[in-house]
Amino acid sequence: MKYYIIAGEASGDLHGSNLMKALKQKDPDAEFRFWGGDLMKAQGGTLVKHYRDLAFMGFLEVVMNLRTILNNIKFCKEDIQNNRPDVLILVDYPGFNLRIARFAKELGIKVIYYISPQLWAWKEGRVEIIKKYVDEMMVILPFEEDFYRKHGVHSHFVGHPLLDAISDLKEISIDGFKKENGLNEKEIIALLPGSRKQEVEKMLEIMLSVRPHFKNYQFVIAGAPSLPKEFYQKYVDDNVHFVSNRTYDLLRCSKAALVTSGTATLETALLNIPEVVCYRGSAVSYAIAKRLVKNINYISLVNLIMDREVVKELIQSDLNTKNLVDELNKILEGEKRKQVLNDYSLLREKLGGKGASDHAAEVILKV
């Protein structure tokens, strides 16, 4: 079969690549054409556009890049029409993907949505679009199945694909990792500032402000594959290091982490690393988001899934040096650290066992 997959962010590239791998095992004649990143490219097929050219953060940034976004949508429609896939697989990225879903459905192409947009948080009205233009909805968070059932949309809970990605990791030597990456013998505090340029610039400065309070640790920045190494050099010094495309390995070798809100908060938890979740957007974007988001008490996937505070979230003005220092101290040693690690075990139970990519591939082939 001919598969056309659209993933617009780094997390989508990861999940899309694992899904492609599972599809190839079940469909030896699989042909892929896709929007994604380097991980999907490694699985073979044709990379149409890289997600680094698609990701815009916040309401203001979207408005400023509206012409580019509209041109990308137009190009995508033309590419689908010219190549006529058997199935279109959409991976999250709703602002773009829901427009493409309608177009593909009107062409008579089967439309599968893998990894639901967070409609339970905002823009709930988009459920009607999904009901009309999506043939099969595959969700990765346990409460999403109930959400769609309430709206009369059939969906499959396939498990969380991060469990697949993490279960495939080989054992790592902390000393070996440090030596390989030019790190010293101190324990590591990992910094995950995000994957978009404007996001990283905003987050790294505040994350690094805690350094004078943790002189017995070294700080290591997890570089995003979408940004060049040169971009990070201005942040590096004797006790601040940089590692590119090794985020999972870095986390597994760390004592704790400061993590920008997003998929990385769940990845950090599943790798069993205590974390502080950080978020600071533009004042305008945050004000708009607060008006639109409803019935949601948390921003991190860890807390949303558990429906209680497992990891501390520092948002907007609460994200400051003093609060970061206080919360980081709590998770480096003591009872708070033990509690977080215990809650992580419960989190993994809630997400079910591994096999999400394989399960999703089975559903796609049946459809």
Side-chain angles (χ1 to χ4, degrees):
M1 282 205 301
K2 292 169 65 177
Y3 303 87
Y4 199 106
I5 307 175
I6 304 176
E9 298 174 304
S11 59
D13 180 39
L14 170 65
H15 302 324
S17 68
N18 284 328
L19 179 61
M20 289 167 70
K21 183 179 178 182
L23 283 168
K24 286 193 297 184
Q25 291 172 350
K26 298 178 184 299
D27 178 9
D29 298 321
E31 296 178 23
F32 297 106
R33 191 171 181 87
F34 55 91
W35 297 44
D38 298 336
L39 295 175
M40 293 174 73
K41 187 177 180 180
Q43 290 298 323
T46 302
L47 174 62
V48 181
K49 268 191 183 289
H50 200 288
Y51 68 77
R52 72 167 69 96
D53 301 322
L54 308 174
F56 301 105
M57 176 191 172
F59 297 97
L60 287 179
E61 291 81 0
V62 167
V63 171
M64 290 168 60
N65 291 280
L66 191 57
R67 183 185 294 274
T68 300
I69 293 168
L70 292 175
N71 285 337
N72 283 335
I73 290 171
K74 180 183 177 184
F75 174 76
C76 185
K77 289 179 177 179
E78 291 172 352
D79 195 54
I80 288 172
Q81 191 159 20
N82 291 336
N83 288 278
R84 288 283 177 161
D86 295 304
V87 61
L88 171 67
I89 303 170
L90 307 172
V91 185
D92 200 0
Y93 199 49
F96 189 95
N97 276 339
L98 287 176
R99 290 173 180 247
I100 303 303
R102 176 174 181 170
F103 175 78
K105 186 68 175 175
E106 289 172 351
L107 286 180
I109 297 169
K110 288 286 186 181
V111 179
I112 308 286
Y113 218 119
Y114 179 48
I115 303 181
S116 170
Q118 295 179 352
L119 305 186
W120 34 267
W122 67 322
K123 296 192 176 181
E124 193 167 331
R126 284 177 165 175
V127 172
E128 295 304 314
I129 301 175
I130 287 173
K131 189 183 294 187
K132 194 171 182 180
Y133 300 116
V134 174
D135 293 291
E136 199 70 32
M137 196 77 199
M138 297 185 294
V139 300
I140 63 172
L141 300 174
F143 59 81
E144 289 177 327
E145 200 169 29
D146 292 334
F147 170 82
Y148 280 108
R149 187 181 297 118
K150 181 182 75 174
H151 287 280
V153 177
H154 184 259
S155 65
H156 284 86
F157 171 57
V158 296
H160 205 291
L162 281 180
L163 291 170
D164 293 350
I166 287 167
S167 69
D168 289 339
L169 296 175
K170 297 176 182 177
E171 286 190 25
I172 189 168
S173 160
I174 294 178
D175 289 340
F177 178 82
K178 288 179 178 178
K179 185 176 180 181
E180 182 183 347
N181 290 281
L183 308 180
N184 59 46
E185 72 284 352
K186 294 179 181 178
E187 289 189 295
I188 296 169
I189 295 175
L191 305 180
L192 278 64
S195 60
R196 305 177 183 95
K197 182 179 178 183
Q198 62 266 41
E199 180 180 48
V200 174
E201 289 174 333
K202 190 168 291 186
M203 301 305 298
L204 262 180
E205 183 178 354
I206 183 65
M207 288 179 172
L208 288 170
S209 71
V210 305
R211 283 180 297 168
H213 302 271
F214 298 95
K215 293 181 178 178
N216 292 327
Y217 293 87
Q218 60 184 319
F219 293 82
V220 184
I221 302 166
S226 55
L227 296 173
K229 293 181 181 180
E230 295 75 25
F231 169 78
Y232 294 93
Q233 291 310 307
K234 59 187 174 184
Y235 301 104
V236 174
D237 61 27
D238 289 343
N239 207 39
V240 178
H241 307 275
F242 164 77
V243 173
S244 181
N245 296 327
R246 298 284 300 276
T247 301
Y248 282 7
D249 289 344
L250 168 61
L251 283 169
R252 290 192 291 160
C253 295
S254 300
K255 185 74 179 288
L258 303 182
V259 185
T260 297
S261 178
T263 304
T265 62
L266 184 57
E267 292 173 310
T268 303
L270 293 177
L271 288 168
N272 225 34
I273 306 303
E275 65 185 303
V276 180
V277 176
C278 308
Y279 177 80
R280 182 184 287 175
S282 71
V284 173
S285 292
Y286 184 70
I288 294 172
K290 280 203 75 174
R291 282 180 169 272
L292 293 176
V293 173
K294 56 182 179 179
N295 303 322
I296 297 296
N297 298 319
Y298 307 105
I299 64 168
S300 70
L301 284 171
V302 177
N303 292 344
L304 282 167
I305 294 165
M306 296 295 287
D307 198 24
R308 60 184 173 85
E309 185 182 274
V310 171
V311 294
K312 185 66 178 179
E313 300 176 354
L314 297 178
I315 306 169
Q316 293 299 93
S317 59
D318 287 339
L319 180 60
N320 56 56
T321 304
K322 180 183 181 303
N323 287 342
L324 271 177
V325 170
D326 289 346
E327 296 302 327
L328 193 49
N329 272 318
K330 290 177 186 176
I331 61 171
L332 285 169
E333 304 290 347
E335 288 304 312
K336 174 65 175 178
R337 181 181 178 86
K338 292 177 185 176
Q339 182 61 54
V340 168
L341 293 174
N342 183 62
D343 285 338
Y344 283 174
S345 297
L346 301 176
L347 172 71
R348 285 189 287 274
E349 288 178 20
K350 270 203 166 191
L351 288 175
K354 64 178 183 176
S357 303
D358 194 63
H359 190 176
E362 286 179 3
V363 172
I364 291 167
L365 288 168
K366 285 179 183 177
V367 171

Short mmCIF file of all heavy atoms in Angstrom, two decimals, residues 70 76 190 301 333:
data_model
loop_
_atom_site.label_atom_id
_atom_site.label_comp_id
_atom_site.label_asym_id
_atom_site.label_seq_id
_atom_site.Cartn_x
_atom_site.Cartn_y
_atom_site.Cartn_z
N LEU A 70 -0.05 28.85 5.01
CA LEU A 70 -1.05 28.66 3.94
C LEU A 70 -0.41 28.08 2.68
O LEU A 70 -1.01 27.24 2.01
CB LEU A 70 -1.74 29.99 3.64
CG LEU A 70 -2.64 30.54 4.76
CD1 LEU A 70 -3.18 31.91 4.39
CD2 LEU A 70 -3.78 29.57 5.06
N CYS A 76 0.79 20.84 0.18
CA CYS A 76 0.48 19.49 0.66
C CYS A 76 -0.72 18.91 -0.09
O CYS A 76 -0.70 17.75 -0.51
CB CYS A 76 0.18 19.54 2.16
SG CYS A 76 -0.09 17.91 2.90
N ALA A 190 19.99 17.67 33.68
CA ALA A 190 19.69 17.84 32.26
C ALA A 190 18.77 19.03 32.04
O ALA A 190 17.85 19.26 32.82
CB ALA A 190 19.05 16.57 31.71
N LEU A 301 1.89 16.39 30.57
CA LEU A 301 1.21 15.12 30.34
C LEU A 301 1.25 14.22 31.56
O LEU A 301 0.31 13.47 31.82
CB LEU A 301 1.85 14.41 29.14
CG LEU A 301 1.48 14.97 27.77
CD1 LEU A 301 2.35 14.33 26.69
CD2 LEU A 301 0.01 14.74 27.46
N GLU A 333 17.23 15.16 46.29
CA GLU A 333 17.38 14.29 47.45
C GLU A 333 16.09 14.33 48.27
O GLU A 333 15.31 15.27 48.16
CB GLU A 333 18.54 14.76 48.35
CG GLU A 333 19.89 14.89 47.67
CD GLU A 333 20.52 13.56 47.31
OE1 GLU A 333 20.02 12.52 47.80
OE2 GLU A 333 21.48 13.56 46.52
#
